[in-house]
Amino acid sequence: MNLHEYQGKNILEGFGVGIQRGYVATNSKEAVNAAKKLTDLTGTECHVIKAQIHAGGRGKGGGVKLAKSISEVEKISNDIIGMSLVTPQTPPEGKKVNKVLVAEDVYYPGDSELKEFYVSVLLNRTSGKNMIMYSTEGGMDIESVAANTSHLIFYEEIDPAMGLIPFQARKVAFNLGLKNKAFKSMIKFITNLYNAYVGSDATLFEINPVLKTSDDEIIAVDAKVSIDDNAMFRHKDYHKLRDLEEENQIEVEADKAGLNYVDLDGNVGCMVNGAGLAMATMDLIKQSGGSPANFLDVGGTADAKRVELAFRLILKDPNVKAILVNIFGGIVRCDRVAQGIIDAYKNIGDNIKVPIIVRLQGTNSDSAKTLIQNSNLDVIAATAFEEAAMKVQEVLS
Ligand code: GDP
Ligand code: MN
């Protein structure tokens, strides 16, 4: 589950990490109230208005703007809320902004003591360890730093069983070139950030920029956070942080129906029972020159209703040019699944405009094949796995 910046910052604050303070607003009136509250805290009328969408690069796309007065807060938040924000990380049509974070301005103009860093904590799946990735070159161009001057990015691996050892936090602060109070502040920042990452069962905490202020405090100006979905049962209070509008709508619908659906960017829709067979099916599609449009495990009870629902979900993806149904009849009988497919086909009717290749193997597979062949529907039956993949290739070419 991905979080918005303001949600990530709330978690950080709970773990004692210094943050750029702010309040979230859904309209300009709330934004003005937020700004007034902040002015009471900070004494300045300068605020930064930040679009809250699940994508980075907002600064480049015009989603982060400085307001020098309360009336500017009103105008800018009015402009940003409701806009379709296009950044290097959004789809070409952009993402609709529903909320802004009104934050204190932490960059004092002309302050040469300010320094921006990059710090993230993430899971390194190759080594099975957590990793702190950091750089002195924080700010809006970290992607080009990584691409062109990768030696400026440092890594510190943390054994999850040992946890972060104090010398590791000191090493990070040292490599970032900090001294005295700023050095100590950074150690505290890294330690608490790592605690936030572990304590919230996150797979990513990316803070860019991390700011060293002129009084040598270290604060998080941005926060990109992903929580491990498998750990959500341990964080009941995080469920309300899920923003369904930011997620793939087909996946949201599938989730409600209890179907395991993951959207992919290929053109062959897959309907399979069992996660292992689903993975193998995607491999086979790839090997035979196609590309899977989704992962879909309809589960052990592939009855007519579920089959129909699965078809409807797959057909919502406009990229789908063919559908491969690959069902192994172990618990479920193939003839029942075949009947389910025929019923679903009839119910959905004209909406099915792509060829469907069905491979049913296992209990009663012969009578299933006969049922499909006699149904007079535009469904191609296959018996062997490779045969099915070849038929997919044929209909696509
Ligand atoms: P991103 O572009 O989506 O990563 O959004 P960020 O939260 O990182 O903000 C983008 C940029 O806005 C930062 O790199 C800063 O340069 C700038 N910015 C953020 N907060 C402030 C602020 O309080 N004052 C000023 N002047 N600039 C800020
Ligand atoms: Mn950022």
Side-chain angles (χ1 to χ4, degrees):
M1 174 177 75
N2 294 328
L3 300 185
H4 284 295
E5 174 194 358
Y6 75 94
Q7 297 168 327
K9 281 178 166 172
N10 279 345
I11 294 181
L12 286 173
E13 203 175 18
F15 282 89
V17 180
I19 56 161
Q20 173 194 42
R21 291 167 294 182
Y23 300 102
V24 72
T26 53
N27 55 50
S28 57
K29 201 170 154 231
E30 281 176 23
V32 165
N33 287 337
K36 284 180 181 160
K37 263 204 307 195
L38 273 175
T39 304
D40 290 343
L41 275 177
T42 62
T44 159
E45 293 245 323
C46 280
H47 300 94
V48 58
I49 315 293
K50 311 179 81 179
Q52 299 297 290
I53 54 166
H54 285 188
R58 296 164 301 165
K60 285 183 178 156
V64 178
K65 293 233 164 83
L66 196 64
K68 295 204 178 67
S69 63
I70 297 290
S71 63
E72 274 188 30
V73 168
E74 185 171 13
K75 188 186 173 309
I76 293 171
S77 54
N78 226 340
D79 291 345
I80 293 183
I81 296 170
M83 83 186 280
S84 196
L85 181 58
V86 181
T87 85
Q89 294 180 24
T90 61
E93 71 275 14
K95 279 194 158 185
K96 189 167 171 255
V97 182
N98 294 318
K99 289 179 184 142
V100 290
L101 176 65
V102 180
E104 60 179 325
D105 178 18
V106 284
Y107 290 59
Y108 313 101
D111 190 338
S112 58
E113 301 289 311
L114 289 179
K115 180 96 190 76
E116 285 181 321
F117 302 107
Y118 172 94
V119 180
S120 64
V121 189
L122 65 160
L123 178 64
N124 181 345
R125 291 175 195 274
T126 311
S127 64
K129 290 180 179 165
N130 293 319
M131 185 163 78
I132 299 178
M133 202 155 84
Y134 60 105
S135 176
T136 50
E137 308 305 302
M140 286 205 273
D141 281 312
I142 192 67
E143 283 81 9
S144 58
V145 173
N148 305 321
T149 47
S150 56
H151 62 281
L152 295 176
I153 297 181
F154 299 98
Y155 305 90
E156 185 68 26
E157 287 217 325
I158 297 130
D159 189 323
M162 306 281 283
L164 179 74
I165 301 170
F167 88 83
Q168 294 183 296
R170 288 201 292 275
K171 188 173 151 195
V172 172
F174 180 81
N175 283 341
L176 290 174
L178 297 169
K179 296 196 174 66
N180 306 324
K181 186 184 170 199
F183 180 80
K184 286 190 183 142
S185 304
M186 184 57 87
I187 291 171
K188 196 172 142 226
F189 181 88
I190 296 291
T191 308
N192 291 339
L193 173 63
Y194 187 78
N195 288 341
Y197 168 86
V198 173
S200 63
D201 285 304
T203 54
L204 172 72
F205 258 92
E206 184 184 51
I207 317 297
N208 184 36
V210 169
L211 189 73
K212 182 192 89 66
T213 63
S214 48
D215 42 7
D216 285 340
E217 299 289 344
I218 305 289
I219 60 168
V221 174
D222 192 6
K224 190 171 183 192
V225 181
S226 298
I227 305 289
D228 184 351
D229 284 323
N230 297 307
M232 284 293 282
F233 73 96
R234 289 207 284 228
H235 302 278
K236 297 275 183 279
D237 52 328
Y238 289 179
H239 285 273
K240 62 176 186 297
L241 304 182
R242 171 153 262 147
D243 186 344
L244 291 178
E245 267 191 59
E246 289 278 351
E247 297 187 10
N248 179 292
Q249 290 311 303
I250 309 178
E251 287 181 8
V252 171
E253 219 176 295
D255 193 48
K256 275 190 204 145
L259 286 168
N260 284 313
Y261 176 99
V262 181
D263 196 57
L264 301 168
D265 50 15
N267 55 2
V268 182
C270 311
M271 189 193 308
V272 191
N273 67 339
L277 188 59
M279 298 298 279
T281 305
M282 297 196 302
D283 281 349
L284 203 79
I285 289 172
K286 208 78 195 174
Q287 275 171 22
S288 57
S291 174
N294 65 277
F295 166 98
L296 174 58
D297 172 10
V298 284
T301 54
D303 58 27
K305 256 185 92 181
R306 281 175 85 78
V307 169
E308 181 176 333
L309 196 73
F311 269 128
R312 287 187 189 276
L313 287 172
I314 293 172
L315 289 165
K316 283 190 183 198
D317 180 348
N319 297 326
V320 167
K321 298 284 176 286
I323 298 176
L324 172 58
V325 181
N326 191 8
I327 302 275
F328 178 75
I331 300 168
V332 59
R333 276 171 24 209
C334 289
D335 53 331
R336 275 195 58 193
V337 177
Q339 194 56 52
I341 293 169
I342 294 164
D343 292 349
Y345 204 106
K346 285 182 180 152
N347 283 340
I348 302 173
D350 285 349
N351 290 326
I352 304 184
K353 296 197 173 67
V354 296
I356 298 176
I357 295 95
V358 177
R359 180 221 175 212
L360 289 164
Q361 191 58 273
T363 313
N364 291 357
S365 60
D366 288 341
S367 44
K369 206 168 173 178
T370 316
L371 267 173
I372 300 257
Q373 273 160 355
N374 294 344
S375 69
N376 288 329
L377 297 175
D378 189 13
V379 178
I380 304 161
T383 316
F385 205 161
E386 291 80 1
E387 181 195 352
M390 259 168 57
K391 288 192 164 151
V392 171
Q393 215 183 349
E394 275 166 31
V395 299
L396 285 180
S397 56

